[in-house]
Amino acid sequence: LARALASKASYMKICRQGQGVHEALGGTTRLQALIAALNGSYTDVVFQYGVNDLRLRGNVSQLESEMLSYLSLYNGRKSVCTLTPRTDSTDSWATTGGQTQKAAPWALSDLNTYNNYVRGLPAGVSRCIEAADGAMSARDSGLWAAATPGKTLDGTHPTPVAAAAVSDSVAQNIF
């Protein structure tokens, strides 16, 4: 998402590598102090947590609840991103046939359940930012789209090529 915003608007990322929303909510006092310091100088908040929450805990209903708790800390328009897949590959993600879902507690059904929940715009959410469709071979396939150059090098993170493709569609939905 940052690539989509870089040339369009100012933004601030509030997270650290590998963090889940449950960890962000554990530091709510510091987070609330930051939000107070921003003093309403922002118009939007975009929620991109979720991959690490499902990767570590595999609990969709807990993630949905924590997402709403996190968003309740902010004012302004609230957007939530769908989640991209996590797979292993026998052919460096050159084909969908060489991919398999990452091991438990991650499950394709959890990913699809969460993404469809987000697409349904839960109460308090203004907009769904569709990142999954830009990364997957087909909606709810749970597989990275095969492409040259590839969309991922590790089965979890998009390459610059994939990020640019997703950011183009994301930017159209935001601005």
Side-chain angles (χ1 to χ4, degrees):
L1 182 60
R3 293 176 204 270
L5 298 176
S7 66
K8 310 266 189 226
S10 299
Y11 66 93
M12 176 187 296
K13 287 174 71 171
I14 305 173
C15 65
R16 66 176 198 278
Q17 184 177 357
Q19 183 180 44
V21 68
H22 66 285
E23 294 169 298
L25 287 170
T28 306
T29 303
R30 289 183 6 199
L31 183 57
Q32 287 174 324
L34 174 62
I35 295 166
L38 292 172
N39 194 27
S41 63
Y42 61 91
T43 58
D44 292 77
V45 61
V46 178
F47 184 90
Q48 281 189 282
Y49 285 107
V51 170
N52 289 318
D53 297 278
L54 290 179
R55 177 180 65 87
L56 296 171
R57 301 183 308 160
N59 187 322
V60 178
S61 60
Q62 190 171 22
L63 172 57
E64 292 168 355
S65 174
E66 290 170 343
M67 181 245 321
L68 295 174
S69 294
Y70 184 86
L71 288 173
S72 73
L73 299 171
Y74 294 89
N75 294 317
R77 289 179 298 222
K78 297 168 185 171
S79 301
V80 179
C81 296
T82 56
L83 303 180
T84 56
R86 289 191 75 239
T87 65
D88 289 314
S89 177
T90 58
D91 62 3
S92 299
W93 295 273
T95 67
T96 56
Q99 295 180 54
T100 55
Q101 294 297 308
K102 291 272 190 181
W106 182 271
L108 177 58
S109 61
D110 293 338
L111 175 69
N112 291 340
T113 297
Y114 178 77
N115 282 347
N116 287 316
Y117 174 75
V118 168
R119 289 175 182 129
L121 295 179
V125 174
S126 306
R127 171 180 36 225
C128 168
I129 298 174
E130 187 56 66
D133 283 353
M136 289 187 193
S137 61
R139 179 166 278 188
D140 295 340
S141 72
L143 302 175
W144 286 91
T148 304
K151 290 200 171 193
T152 185
L153 298 176
D154 64 4
T156 300
H157 302 95
T159 61
V161 170
V166 170
S167 74
D168 287 344
S169 67
V170 168
Q172 293 171 10
N173 291 325
I174 293 178
F175 303 108

